[in-house]
Amino acid sequence: MLKLGVARDFSPDPGPRKASQGQHSGEAFRRLLMRKLAASDLVEVDLDGTSGFGSSWLDEVFGGLIRDEGMSAAEVRRRVRVKSIADETYLFIIEEAINLARPRDAAAPVAA
Amino acid sequence: MALLGFWLAHALTVKRERRKEAGEICEQIEELAEKALESALAGWGAAIGAERTSATYRAKWDAQKLGLAVTRLHNKTSDAFHTGINLIEAAATFRTALFDDPTEDFFDSSRASIGGKEAALHGAMSTFIARANQLRDIVLR
């Protein structure tokens, strides 16, 4: 298992969703995470030690694995372990992002 | 028998201490939620430039302080008090409400200044505070 600390290996100050919106974006972190996933079947992402995350940053990283990288929700859950001991609210936001994400080319879900 | 009495006294002391600490965190949480709301509104309304950068950073930091307090409270109460209330989930929903917008990214340094979010964000905070108060009442009774 590879370990990837946001504060240690990326930035202590995570920024906006997209790289075009500013520094230390969720999109940039997702690219880093994809490189780690290419090298290891299991990656642990450590969220502790930063100045905080916006829900958009978390959605871009973890929902983006499904929307933009072609992974299934089951594969994300199996291959990416998220550690957030100090602030567990992030785990709920990430779980929601994974649940709601759909692959970009898939048809929108039909409302009941 | 004496040993059992000693153990019971110790257990009651630990629970009383935990109740006191949890009550103190509950008081902090309402204050932190109000601060997070205030900072988020300032961040949404901040002009592009240094003011925006500073306001969004402050808002993110204040929201995380709330998340840290809620997690500490959860760790102190989930085993000892069996409250059945998941304040972590409620705080996550509140945090998402503070920063999430379907069309504008709060942290986008180039977005327009956005006002008029007061009612929606106060509503989200009221829902969260109601859950926190429920938990506080159970812990302190």
Side-chain angles (χ1 to χ4, degrees), chain B residues 95-117:
Chain B
R95 186 200 293 262
T96 299
L98 289 179
F99 301 138
D100 205 25
D101 187 292
T103 54
E104 301 286 347
D105 191 331
F106 180 82
F107 299 97
D108 182 352
S109 55
S110 63
R111 70 164 163 80
S113 170
I114 298 174
K117 284 183 168 283

Side-chain angles (χ1 to χ4, degrees), chain A residues 17-18 26-27 30-31 33-34 37 55-72 76 94 96-104:
Chain A
R17 176 187 290 274
K18 296 287 184 188
E27 184 182 13
R30 195 183 68 235
R31 287 200 207 106
L33 176 56
M34 285 307 294
L37 285 167
S55 42
S56 56
W57 193 96
L58 296 169
D59 178 62
E60 186 62 29
V61 173
F62 298 98
L65 292 173
I66 296 162
R67 273 193 308 273
D68 299 302
E69 309 295 347
M71 291 173 74
S72 68
V76 172
I94 290 167
E96 189 175 58
I98 292 170
N99 284 336
L100 294 176
R102 298 287 179 273
R104 280 240 186 263

